Amino acid sequence: ETGVTQTPRHLVMGMTNKKSLKCEQHLGHNAMYWYKQSAKKPLELMFVYSLEERVENNSVPSRFSPECPNSSHLFLHLHTLQPEDSALYLCASRDRGGGTEAFFGQGTRLTVV
Amino acid sequence: GNSVTQMEGPVTLSEEAFLTINCTYTATGYPSLFWYVQYPGEGLQLLLKATKADDKGSNKGFEATYRKETTSFHLEKGSVQVSDSAVYFCALSNSNSGYALNFGKGTSLLVTP
């Protein structure tokens, strides 16, 4: 248990569906992240929030829409996804600073059919 | 910019063999360095870290020494077990990495009985 909780753990959705991934941390961290992990590919940073403000958006398609309503919660809203979006989506949090590690959730395994 | 390079996997070892996974980095200043481990179906967990030159991080029999002169942070374990089978990620952060960690591509380790 890392202190970062992601729900659901598994999600199967059709290309026309709308769904949301949820991430929650009660570690008092001030930065939260969404990463995408596809088979045979490096870990891809998608979004970074610091103090509830989005500070990085790495050219992610608009069918992925993040939301950070407070410092403990982070959502990833999904709509009209493609099969190639099937992946493990990882949430992480940390205290911003050079020496601090990130704490990861267990991920949501997303399958788009 | 920052970058992390890891040896390509998969690495296959017999139980009780010696493990080395190479990691080199490019960064300005004095980054902090990390090794994360990802077991099948799980998120990433911090394995060990080092925040300044010549520091040695250690955990669960794994060790890595921060070598600024060779910009390296190689992961070692003297005697691997089947339960060490996982994917290992080298990462760094510093003031130039903004809010995020920079990850290597990961090295898959399989330990056979």
Side-chain angles (χ1 to χ4, degrees):
Chain A
E1 178 58 51
T2 63
V4 179
T5 304
Q6 289 187 244
T7 53
R9 290 291 307 275
H10 301 273
L11 178 62
V12 178
M13 61 186 288
M15 288 189 282
T16 58
N17 291 159
K18 290 185 180 181
K19 296 286 185 184
S20 295
L21 310 185
K22 180 182 176 182
C23 177
E24 187 172 352
Q25 61 93 6
H26 294 290
L27 301 170
H29 292 163
N30 56 18
M32 295 186 77
Y33 309 80
W34 280 116
Y35 284 88
K36 177 183 178 183
Q37 188 178 33
S38 304
K40 312 289 186 187
K41 285 185 158 184
L43 208 57
E44 300 172 51
L45 178 63
M46 300 175 73
F47 302 105
V48 182
Y49 276 81
S50 177
L51 297 172
E52 302 146 45
E53 178 185 349
R54 190 189 313 178
V55 294
E56 283 190 39
N57 175 352
N58 287 350
S59 304
V60 179
S62 59
R63 57 186 184 268
F64 295 91
S65 174
E67 179 190 3
C68 188
N70 55 61
S71 60
S72 299
H73 293 87
L74 184 66
F75 294 89
L76 188 63
H77 303 301
L78 316 171
H79 63 99
T80 59
L81 294 192
Q82 304 299 310
E84 60 265 28
D85 297 321
S86 299
L88 181 68
Y89 289 85
L90 293 165
C91 173
S93 72
R94 67 193 284 249
D95 270 335
R96 188 187 166 219
T100 61
E101 63 268 30
F103 292 76
F104 281 82
Q106 292 185 300
T108 295
R109 173 67 62 185
L110 174 67
T111 303
V112 181
V113 297
Chain B
N2 298 335
S3 68
V4 177
T5 302
Q6 287 182 239
M7 58 188 291
E8 294 283 334
V11 174
T12 302
L13 295 173
S14 298
E15 204 164 23
E16 299 183 2
F18 185 86
L19 169 71
T20 300
I21 300 178
N22 290 337
C23 172
T24 57
Y25 67 89
T26 301
T28 56
Y30 300 91
S32 294
L33 302 173
F34 309 87
W35 276 102
Y36 282 82
V37 59
Q38 185 179 30
Y39 298 103
E42 301 291 326
L44 277 69
Q45 303 173 28
L46 179 70
L47 182 59
L48 53 85
K49 72 175 185 180
T51 58
K52 60 183 188 294
D54 299 325
D55 267 2
K56 178 186 284 187
S58 61
N59 185 25
K60 299 181 181 180
F62 291 89
E63 292 183 340
T65 301
Y66 188 141
R67 302 285 188 201
K68 188 160 179 66
E69 64 275 14
T70 54
T71 61
S72 65
F73 192 53
H74 305 320
L75 183 68
E76 297 182 335
K77 186 175 186 182
S79 176
V80 293
Q81 306 300 311
V82 172
S83 57
D84 294 326
S85 299
V87 181
Y88 293 81
F89 293 88
C90 186
L92 72 81
S93 75
N94 66 3
S95 58
N96 287 346
S97 64
Y99 295 83
L101 296 174
N102 297 101
F103 282 91
K105 293 183 178 182
T107 303
S108 176
L109 170 66
L110 176 64
V111 181
T112 58

XYZ file of all heavy atoms in Angstrom, chain B residues 47-93:
360
model
N 12.174 1.381 -4.961
C 13.061 0.357 -4.432
C 14.172 0.988 -3.589
O 14.447 0.564 -2.478
C 13.665 -0.450 -5.577
C 14.592 -1.594 -5.229
C 13.896 -2.631 -4.357
C 15.143 -2.245 -6.504
N 14.818 2.020 -4.147
C 15.854 2.723 -3.406
C 16.125 4.056 -4.073
O 15.704 4.286 -5.203
C 17.141 1.895 -3.307
C 17.732 1.352 -4.596
C 18.628 2.358 -5.299
C 18.529 0.073 -4.330
N 16.842 4.927 -3.355
C 17.150 6.226 -3.931
C 18.471 6.741 -3.378
O 18.961 6.262 -2.341
C 16.043 7.232 -3.655
C 15.957 7.705 -2.207
C 14.890 8.793 -2.072
C 14.865 9.363 -0.661
N 13.828 10.436 -0.516
N 19.031 7.740 -4.074
C 20.236 8.429 -3.615
C 20.126 9.885 -4.043
O 19.734 10.168 -5.175
C 21.496 7.795 -4.198
N 20.433 10.787 -3.159
C 20.201 12.198 -3.441
C 21.460 13.006 -3.674
O 21.375 14.170 -4.078
C 19.389 12.845 -2.299
O 20.127 12.665 -1.085
C 18.018 12.209 -2.177
N 22.641 12.422 -3.434
C 23.867 13.161 -3.738
C 24.973 12.190 -4.114
O 24.909 10.993 -3.838
C 24.287 14.046 -2.580
C 24.581 13.329 -1.285
C 24.904 14.343 -0.207
C 25.395 13.674 1.066
N 24.369 12.864 1.710
N 25.991 12.757 -4.725
C 27.106 11.951 -5.240
C 27.718 11.097 -4.139
O 27.864 11.536 -2.998
C 28.150 12.862 -5.871
N 28.049 9.858 -4.521
C 28.678 8.844 -3.658
C 27.719 8.229 -2.646
O 28.107 7.323 -1.906
C 29.906 9.397 -2.936
C 30.973 9.858 -3.900
O 31.122 9.219 -4.965
O 31.632 10.874 -3.621
N 26.479 8.701 -2.603
C 25.476 8.052 -1.750
C 25.206 6.653 -2.274
O 25.188 6.429 -3.493
C 24.159 8.826 -1.786
C 24.060 9.830 -0.662
O 25.027 9.957 0.117
O 23.001 10.483 -0.575
N 24.965 5.711 -1.378
C 24.540 4.377 -1.775
C 23.126 4.153 -1.252
O 22.883 4.264 -0.047
C 25.475 3.314 -1.211
C 25.049 1.889 -1.551
C 25.909 0.835 -0.848
C 27.242 0.701 -1.515
N 28.014 -0.444 -0.943
N 22.222 3.857 -2.163
C 20.884 3.463 -1.758
C 20.821 1.947 -1.645
O 21.470 1.242 -2.424
N 20.066 1.449 -0.683
C 19.956 -0.001 -0.543
C 18.599 -0.369 0.041
O 18.012 0.379 0.829
C 21.070 -0.551 0.343
O 20.986 0.003 1.647
N 18.122 -1.554 -0.379
C 16.830 -2.043 0.111
C 16.651 -3.474 -0.387
O 16.930 -3.768 -1.558
C 15.689 -1.163 -0.403
C 14.340 -1.549 0.170
O 14.253 -2.119 1.249
N 13.293 -1.224 -0.543
N 16.208 -4.362 0.467
C 15.874 -5.748 0.104
C 17.038 -6.443 -0.579
O 16.832 -7.292 -1.451
C 14.656 -5.788 -0.820
C 13.396 -5.201 -0.208
C 12.223 -5.303 -1.189
C 10.977 -4.692 -0.606
N 9.826 -4.766 -1.536
N 18.262 -6.121 -0.225
C 19.426 -6.750 -0.821
C 19.904 -6.078 -2.089
O 20.962 -6.435 -2.619
N 19.139 -5.130 -2.609
C 19.549 -4.363 -3.791
C 20.364 -3.146 -3.350
O 20.111 -2.564 -2.301
C 18.328 -3.873 -4.577
C 17.555 -4.956 -5.256
C 16.518 -5.608 -4.599
C 17.848 -5.316 -6.566
C 15.798 -6.604 -5.221
C 17.124 -6.316 -7.201
C 16.102 -6.959 -6.524
N 21.322 -2.770 -4.194
C 22.135 -1.589 -3.928
C 22.387 -0.832 -5.215
O 22.412 -1.426 -6.298
C 23.506 -1.992 -3.369
C 23.500 -2.605 -2.005
C 24.907 -2.899 -1.522
O 25.832 -2.987 -2.357
O 25.102 -3.045 -0.305
N 22.589 0.483 -5.084
C 23.020 1.296 -6.216
C 23.782 2.484 -5.656
O 23.358 3.075 -4.658
C 21.837 1.769 -7.051
N 24.888 2.825 -6.301
C 25.722 3.933 -5.848
C 25.682 5.049 -6.865
O 25.868 4.816 -8.067
C 27.168 3.480 -5.626
O 27.178 2.439 -4.641
C 28.029 4.634 -5.125
N 25.475 6.248 -6.397
C 25.402 7.471 -7.224
C 26.822 7.843 -7.616
O 27.606 8.303 -6.790
C 24.769 8.562 -6.376
C 24.406 9.864 -7.032
C 23.240 10.498 -6.670
C 25.225 10.505 -7.953
C 22.865 11.719 -7.200
C 24.870 11.715 -8.498
C 23.694 12.329 -8.123
O 23.342 13.533 -8.641
N 27.158 7.656 -8.893
C 28.507 7.954 -9.399
C 28.426 9.149 -10.321
O 28.040 9.031 -11.485
C 29.068 6.765 -10.175
C 29.160 5.471 -9.394
C 30.302 5.487 -8.429
N 30.498 4.155 -7.802
C 31.137 3.966 -6.669
N 31.632 5.006 -5.992
N 31.287 2.755 -6.193
N 28.792 10.304 -9.802
C 28.680 11.510 -10.628
C 29.743 11.527 -11.727
O 29.501 12.000 -12.830
C 28.803 12.760 -9.755
C 28.514 14.038 -10.520
C 28.164 15.168 -9.610
C 27.904 16.445 -10.412
N 26.691 16.288 -11.242
N 30.907 10.970 -11.438
C 31.988 11.030 -12.434
C 31.665 10.216 -13.680
O 32.130 10.537 -14.775
C 33.308 10.564 -11.803
C 33.344 9.122 -11.347
C 32.771 8.900 -9.950
O 32.093 9.810 -9.424
O 32.983 7.806 -9.412
N 30.863 9.153 -13.512
C 30.466 8.346 -14.666
C 28.973 8.515 -14.981
O 28.456 7.827 -15.868
C 30.741 6.853 -14.404
O 30.098 6.464 -13.176
C 32.242 6.581 -14.310
N 28.318 9.429 -14.318
C 26.857 9.663 -14.448
C 26.107 8.342 -14.506
O 25.342 8.067 -15.442
C 26.524 10.548 -15.661
O 26.946 9.911 -16.873
C 27.155 11.910 -15.535
N 26.322 7.519 -13.479
C 25.707 6.199 -13.466
C 25.060 5.902 -12.121
O 25.410 6.515 -11.092
C 26.747 5.128 -13.799
O 27.739 5.075 -12.788
N 24.140 4.949 -12.146
C 23.440 4.525 -10.924
C 23.018 3.075 -11.153
O 21.855 2.731 -11.223
C 22.229 5.440 -10.700
C 21.579 5.321 -9.342
C 22.328 5.454 -8.178
C 20.219 5.110 -9.224
C 21.736 5.373 -6.929
C 19.600 5.030 -7.977
C 20.362 5.165 -6.836
N 23.995 2.198 -11.267
C 23.746 0.809 -11.598
C 23.140 0.049 -10.426
O 23.611 0.175 -9.285
C 25.041 0.108 -12.028
C 25.746 0.789 -13.155
N 25.098 1.350 -14.232
C 27.081 0.983 -13.366
C 25.985 1.859 -15.068
N 27.200 1.655 -14.568
N 22.160 -0.780 -10.726
C 21.483 -1.577 -9.692
C 22.157 -2.940 -9.587
O 22.402 -3.585 -10.613
C 20.008 -1.754 -10.059
C 19.146 -2.506 -9.040
C 18.973 -1.705 -7.767
C 17.780 -2.832 -9.658
N 22.428 -3.375 -8.353
C 23.085 -4.668 -8.143
C 22.403 -5.438 -7.023
O 21.862 -4.854 -6.079
C 24.567 -4.467 -7.787
C 25.383 -3.825 -8.871
C 26.848 -3.698 -8.490
O 27.141 -3.664 -7.269
O 27.689 -3.625 -9.397
N 22.466 -6.774 -7.155
C 22.051 -7.650 -6.065
C 22.914 -8.891 -6.122
O 23.110 -9.457 -7.213
C 20.570 -8.024 -6.158
C 20.088 -8.817 -4.945
C 18.600 -9.076 -4.968
C 18.170 -9.749 -3.663
N 16.734 -10.088 -3.615
N 23.388 -9.309 -4.988
C 24.351 -10.398 -4.957
C 23.760 -11.765 -5.262
O 24.444 -12.633 -5.823
N 22.501 -11.978 -4.926
C 21.895 -13.296 -5.084
C 20.398 -13.104 -5.315
O 19.652 -12.835 -4.370
C 22.144 -14.146 -3.833
O 21.495 -15.392 -3.928
N 19.984 -13.243 -6.563
C 18.578 -12.971 -6.881
C 17.696 -14.176 -6.544
O 18.151 -15.321 -6.520
C 18.388 -12.574 -8.365
C 19.046 -11.231 -8.637
C 18.936 -13.652 -9.299
N 16.433 -13.875 -6.322
C 15.442 -14.895 -6.039
C 14.358 -14.855 -7.116
O 14.192 -13.841 -7.808
C 14.803 -14.651 -4.662
C 15.806 -14.541 -3.534
C 16.633 -15.811 -3.402
O 16.089 -16.921 -3.363
N 17.956 -15.666 -3.342
N 13.590 -15.919 -7.208
C 12.499 -15.960 -8.186
C 11.541 -14.793 -7.962
O 11.029 -14.198 -8.920
C 11.756 -17.308 -8.104
C 10.509 -17.287 -8.965
C 12.681 -18.448 -8.531
N 11.339 -14.426 -6.712
C 10.420 -13.341 -6.373
C 10.917 -11.965 -6.818
O 10.161 -10.983 -6.755
C 10.170 -13.316 -4.866
O 11.386 -13.181 -4.167
N 12.159 -11.873 -7.266
C 12.687 -10.596 -7.793
C 12.290 -10.376 -9.245
O 12.578 -9.310 -9.807
C 14.214 -10.561 -7.678
C 14.692 -10.544 -6.238
O 14.007 -9.940 -5.390
O 15.764 -11.142 -5.962
N 11.663 -11.351 -9.867
C 11.218 -11.198 -11.249
C 10.235 -10.040 -11.347
O 9.189 -10.035 -10.681
C 10.560 -12.485 -11.746
O 11.461 -13.561 -11.708
N 10.574 -9.052 -12.149
C 9.798 -7.814 -12.229
C 10.435 -6.938 -13.302
O 11.417 -7.320 -13.932
C 9.814 -7.086 -10.887
N 9.863 -5.745 -13.481
C 10.472 -4.743 -14.353
C 11.071 -3.653 -13.466
O 10.407 -3.170 -12.533
C 9.446 -4.142 -15.329
C 10.114 -3.110 -16.235
C 8.797 -5.242 -16.165
N 12.295 -3.249 -13.761
C 13.010 -2.271 -12.956
C 13.219 -0.993 -13.766
O 13.650 -1.029 -14.917
C 14.357 -2.852 -12.504
C 14.171 -3.996 -11.530
C 13.881 -5.277 -11.990
C 14.224 -3.785 -10.157
C 13.663 -6.327 -11.096
C 14.016 -4.831 -9.257
C 13.728 -6.094 -9.743
O 13.505 -7.123 -8.854
N 12.885 0.134 -13.143
C 12.988 1.441 -13.798
C 13.957 2.327 -13.043
O 13.845 2.489 -11.822
C 11.625 2.151 -13.818
C 10.587 1.494 -14.664
C 9.765 0.514 -14.146
C 10.423 1.871 -15.995
C 8.790 -0.086 -14.929
C 9.452 1.282 -16.785
C 8.631 0.302 -16.254
N 14.874 2.926 -13.772
C 15.763 3.945 -13.236
C 15.127 5.311 -13.506
O 14.495 5.504 -14.559
C 17.125 3.830 -13.919
S 18.403 4.903 -13.258
N 15.265 6.262 -12.590
C 14.617 7.567 -12.763
C 15.447 8.651 -12.096
O 16.265 8.374 -11.205
C 13.206 7.545 -12.172
N 15.231 9.879 -12.528
C 15.902 11.007 -11.893
C 14.969 12.195 -11.799
O 13.995 12.307 -12.532
C 17.170 11.398 -12.647
C 17.093 12.095 -14.008
C 16.847 13.611 -13.882
C 18.396 11.899 -14.770
N 15.283 13.092 -10.889
C 14.605 14.376 -10.848
C 15.587 15.439 -10.387
O 16.496 15.171 -9.604
C 13.394 14.350 -9.911
O 13.798 14.372 -8.571
